[in-house]
Amino acid sequence: MKVLLVRPKPHKGTIGLQNVMICEPLELEYLSSNIEAEGHTVDIIDMIIEKKKIEHYIEKYKPNVVGITGYIAHVNIIKNYAKKIKECDDSIKIVVGGVHAEVNPEDFVCDEIDYIIRANGIRTFIELLESIKTNKEVNLEAIYNENTKCKKDTEFKYLPPDREKVKKYRSKYYYMFHRNCSLIKTSFGCPYNCKFCFCKEITDGNYFYRELDDIIRELKTIQEQEIYIVDDDFLVDRNRIKEFCHLLKKHKIEKKYLIYARADFIADNEETIELFKSVRT
């Protein structure tokens, strides 16, 4: 099947971060590599950068399925995209996912959106495509119930993101003064239990991380020198950080890193921070 993955552009009236950052659509790159491994054809369109209307790309790629990701500020934009896509070809199946769809799926309910993914985007999307391809009735509740279990996995058993799919955009991705910035995710969820935090809702309060050897393999494939580690909190385990720094030196990986961390960890682990700094953070 031909799949078109779309990252929407926020409404011009939205107070967003596009003036200070435009990062690669990592979630769509992960979808792309894992979907194509199942025999489908995938293209990614980044509407933050593209100038033409969504109808142009529907006509150009003629997809069977369109997958759209987004945040709370994209809800009406996504619904509008869905309407325009159906006007081009009402046989196209429209699938919406992303963190907001997982936590507040009801926000995307409308006649034009066929499926709302609210549990484990990659696995659910693959099963959904197989059902659409074989014209089987899609039992979303069964898929959701099964894939919710993966939030408790302790391993991330997916192929690495397909960064080639956004090759034409890569020179335009940046985070403030970090130009040509690439993203990598090494853990999922957060071990802390802050009541105000949205992030832990995505993994039902669970926390797990990828093996360091797997992360090193991915880092070796990234051409950019500026690396944004998009974990909710990267500085959690001092021993893991020390081993990570050791592996960076062992494999002679010299890059600069942008991370999120808690102030108390930084204050209590000066030696670990100095070590991280020594590998060009």
Side-chain angles (χ1 to χ4, degrees):
M1 299 186 71
K2 296 176 67 176
V3 180
L4 181 63
L5 300 177
V6 179
R7 176 165 74 171
K9 181 178 182 177
H11 188 275
K12 61 182 179 181
T14 301
I15 300 175
L17 298 175
Q18 273 69 51
N19 290 331
V20 296
M21 61 174 282
I22 301 177
C23 295
E24 64 185 305
L26 187 65
E27 67 275 37
L28 299 186
E29 294 168 0
Y30 265 117
L31 269 180
S32 176
S33 60
N34 287 273
I35 289 172
E36 286 204 330
E38 300 296 321
H40 305 287
T41 300
V42 182
D43 291 287
I44 296 177
I45 293 299
D46 193 336
M47 295 297 287
I48 294 178
I49 297 174
E50 294 287 0
K51 304 298 182 183
K52 296 180 179 179
K53 295 181 179 181
I54 189 68
E55 296 95 322
H56 168 80
Y57 302 102
I58 299 303
E59 179 62 30
K60 178 179 179 180
Y61 294 101
K62 293 179 170 48
N64 306 112
V65 177
V66 174
I68 313 174
T69 186
Y71 299 97
I72 187 171
H74 297 108
V75 171
N76 290 331
I77 295 291
I78 290 174
K79 287 182 176 179
N80 187 50
Y81 279 1
K83 182 178 180 180
K84 292 182 180 299
I85 292 167
K86 289 292 189 179
E87 288 174 353
C88 292
D89 184 347
D90 62 5
S91 71
I92 296 173
K93 298 299 183 182
I94 300 176
V95 185
V96 174
V99 294
H100 190 72
E102 289 193 14
V103 179
N104 297 290
E106 65 277 2
D107 286 358
F108 293 99
V109 174
C110 66
D111 292 339
E112 291 80 17
I113 293 175
D114 297 289
Y115 307 107
I116 303 168
I117 294 181
R118 55 181 174 85
N120 192 282
I122 296 175
R123 188 178 304 178
T124 302
F125 205 116
I126 289 173
E127 293 186 23
L128 185 57
L129 285 177
E130 183 61 26
S131 296
I132 295 172
K133 179 182 177 180
T134 56
N135 292 316
K136 292 182 180 179
E137 182 178 353
V138 180
N139 187 340
L140 280 180
E141 285 305 314
I143 293 175
Y144 291 149
N145 292 338
E146 174 63 27
N147 286 331
T148 300
K149 297 175 184 178
C150 73
K151 293 184 178 183
K152 297 177 174 59
D153 284 351
T154 57
E155 295 180 335
F156 188 70
K157 302 176 181 179
Y158 296 113
L159 296 174
D162 183 359
R163 294 184 168 87
E164 285 295 306
K165 280 292 188 295
V166 293
K167 184 177 181 179
K168 64 179 179 178
Y169 305 129
R170 296 205 70 82
S171 64
K172 300 182 184 299
Y173 291 140
Y174 70 98
Y175 190 107
M176 299 180 74
F177 52 84
H178 298 272
R179 290 286 166 176
N180 297 336
C181 181
S182 189
L183 309 187
I184 188 170
K185 192 166 182 63
T186 80
S187 68
F188 300 83
C190 180
Y192 299 101
N193 193 33
C194 303
K195 293 182 180 180
F196 62 83
C197 186
F198 178 83
C199 300
K200 66 188 180 78
E201 299 297 327
I202 304 302
T203 57
D204 290 343
N206 296 290
Y207 173 72
F208 57 97
Y209 48 79
R210 294 168 57 191
E211 294 297 326
L212 291 176
D213 288 339
D214 186 38
I215 296 165
I216 293 298
R217 282 193 293 271
E218 183 176 346
L219 279 172
K220 286 182 176 181
T221 68
I222 299 175
Q223 297 182 357
E224 289 81 6
Q225 293 300 304
E226 302 278 354
I227 304 296
Y228 178 11
I229 300 177
V230 293
D231 297 18
D232 296 326
D233 188 348
F234 181 68
L235 300 184
V236 172
D237 183 338
R238 64 173 61 88
N239 291 326
R240 183 170 184 262
I241 299 303
K242 289 179 179 179
E243 179 62 18
F244 178 61
C245 292
H246 167 72
L247 291 173
L248 290 176
K249 291 181 178 180
K250 177 182 177 180
H251 293 274
K252 299 180 179 180
I253 298 175
E254 296 186 356
K255 297 181 183 293
K256 298 180 180 180
Y257 301 92
L258 173 67
I259 63 173
Y260 284 124
R262 283 171 56 115
D264 57 353
F265 184 96
I266 295 172
D268 295 339
N269 294 274
E270 184 176 346
E271 180 181 344
T272 303
I273 301 303
E274 285 293 333
L275 176 61
F276 202 3
K277 181 180 179 181
S278 72
V279 292
R280 292 189 62 187
T281 59

